[in-house]
Structure formats: C-alpha cells, structure tokens
Amino acid sequence: MYVWEFAALKPYWGLIWQGLLITVFYTVITVAAGLVIGLIVGILRTTAPRWIAVPLRLYIEIFRCTPLLVQLVWMYYALPVLIGVDMSPAMACFIALSLYAGSFYAEIFRGGIEAVDVGQWEAGRAIGMRRGKIFRRIVLPQATQVMIPSFINQTIMQLKNTSLVSVVAVGDLLYQGSVITAASYRPLEVYTTIAVLYFVVLFPLTLVADRVELRMGAHR
C-alpha cells in the first residue's frame, strides 16, 4: 500500500505558490491581449474588404487548427531563427498564448456581432448616427450579452492551457511541480496537490459560467 505523505511538500510550498501566481499572471495578460486581438480581428472580419478579411481568416484557422503545444514550441525555437531576434521562453509563451486566445475570441466577437439583427444598424442610420457610433452604442452592447458565456468558457480553457508553458521551462504551476518531484520523489502528492489547486481556481469560474448561461437563457 502506498503511504501518502503530503507533509513532505511543506518545504516546497513557496515554489507551489510561486507557480500558481505565474499561472494566474499568464492567464490574465494573455486573456487581455487575446481580447484586444480578438476584438480587432472580429470587427475587421465583419466590416473589412475581402483582401483584409481573407488573411485574418487564415490567421484564425491556423491558430485554431494546430495544437497549442506545437505553437509554443514553434514560437520559442523557430520564430527567433526566422526574425533573427533572441526570444525568452516567457515572451515566446506570451506571444503564442495571446495569438491562440485571440483567434478564438475573434470568432466569438464575429459571431456576437453578426447575431445582432440588421434592423439595429438601420435604426441607428435612420436617426442620423454614424457607423462607428452605431457599433459602439447599439451593436456592441447587444453583442456582448450574447458573447459573455463564450468569453468565460474560453477564459477557463486559457487558464488550463497555460500548463503547457512548462514545456519551454516557464516556471508555472506544472513546471514547479516537476521541480519539486525531482527533489522530493513524491510525484503522487505533488501532482495531486497541483490538480487540487487547478480545481480550486477553475471550479468557481465554471459556476459563474453556468449561472451566466442560465441568466442569459431566462432573458431570451
């Protein structure tokens, strides 16, 4: 019988909390960057001419249809060679995670914008509003209500995806777990603790997503 000894992890709690903070930090900054990218790309995909929309569609499909792990490794090893600039693991992961998130957020924005009835645009023009003002004052607020559940779910996925940055030696929660395992020889305790921490962070977010979806359904 295996004897569990979580007390053996006590000397390493500093590393565990450090890894958790890095995981949350990467989630926050890449979600923020992804939202900016997604908003710009989503708007351009619905309003820009074809010669702009097609390359943006290509960007979205490349990042949505290739594994994030491959993107992280490519950004770290291949991109610096192509552009001739040294890149830290942290920067490579930030770029890859932000572009990956942006591709999904872009489709969420596009879907939300296109879900708003065309009559809303026509009503705005009828009272003399410019296109940009119609979008900001009428279309975007309505589209946001439709998009919120998808945003929350994608953000949850983004937090889980940050565990892949350990592959290029960024000191997130999973990477610190591998370091602690090598030092303590207690892999079951280490990875069980890591799984519990991910659950503690993610479970409240899933409850929020469920509540928002129920509320949105009740108002339809």
Side-chain angles (χ1 to χ4, degrees), residues 84-111:
V85 176
D86 291 334
M87 189 176 298
S88 67
M91 180 56 67
C93 289
F94 170 74
I95 294 172
L97 285 168
S98 298
L99 291 174
Y100 178 83
S103 66
F104 283 90
Y105 286 132
E107 286 299 278
I108 295 172
F109 274 113
R110 183 186 63 81

Side-chain angles (χ1 to χ4, degrees), residues 146-165:
V146 177
M147 295 184 287
I148 286 176
S150 298
F151 281 142
I152 297 174
N153 288 325
Q154 186 56 42
T155 300
I156 291 171
M157 290 299 300
Q158 188 74 357
L159 195 153
K160 290 191 286 187
N161 287 336
T162 58
S163 63
L164 295 175
V165 303

Side-chain angles (χ1 to χ4, degrees), residues 6-211:
F6 285 98
L9 303 185
K10 186 176 181 180
Y12 305 105
W13 272 106
L15 286 177
I16 292 173
W17 290 119
Q18 178 183 334
L20 180 60
L21 288 174
I22 291 175
T23 293
V24 173
F25 173 74
Y26 260 91
T27 302
V28 171
I29 63 172
T30 58
V31 165
L35 284 172
V36 173
I37 295 170
L39 177 61
I40 295 171
V41 174
I43 292 173
L44 289 176
R45 280 212 61 203
T46 58
T47 60
R50 185 177 177 81
W51 64 273
I52 294 178
V54 169
L56 293 177
R57 173 70 183 274
L58 181 62
Y59 148 68
I60 290 171
E61 296 305 330
I62 287 174
F63 279 88
R64 292 176 69 203
C65 299
T66 56
L68 177 57
L69 179 58
V70 174
Q71 296 170 23
L72 287 167
V73 173
W74 192 90
M75 288 290 179
Y76 181 55
Y77 291 105
L79 184 61
V81 175
L82 293 177
I83 64 177
V85 176
D86 291 334
M87 189 176 298
S88 67
M91 180 56 67
C93 289
F94 170 74
I95 294 172
L97 285 168
S98 298
L99 291 174
Y100 178 83
S103 66
F104 283 90
Y105 286 132
E107 286 299 278
I108 295 172
F109 274 113
R110 183 186 63 81
I113 293 168
E114 292 182 350
V116 177
D117 190 89
V118 153
Q120 300 295 318
W121 291 93
E122 294 173 352
R125 285 194 290 267
I127 61 175
M129 296 177 70
R130 294 180 179 274
R131 184 177 180 84
K133 194 171 184 179
I134 295 172
F135 180 79
R136 292 194 309 271
R137 296 286 184 86
I138 300 175
V139 175
L140 190 58
Q142 294 183 55
T144 300
Q145 293 181 8
V146 177
M147 295 184 287
I148 286 176
S150 298
F151 281 142
I152 297 174
N153 288 325
Q154 186 56 42
T155 300
I156 291 171
M157 290 299 300
Q158 188 74 357
L159 195 153
K160 290 191 286 187
N161 287 336
T162 58
S163 63
L164 295 175
V165 303
S166 60
V167 173
V168 292
V170 173
D172 75 318
L173 186 56
L174 188 59
Y175 179 83
Q176 300 296 0
S178 65
V179 171
I180 295 168
T181 297
S184 66
Y185 301 102
R186 310 298 300 186
L188 294 185
E189 288 87 345
V190 170
Y191 291 112
T192 299
T193 300
I194 288 173
V196 169
L197 288 173
Y198 270 112
F199 179 82
V200 168
V201 173
L202 286 167
F203 184 62
L205 292 177
T206 61
L207 293 179
V208 171
D210 291 342
R211 182 177 291 274

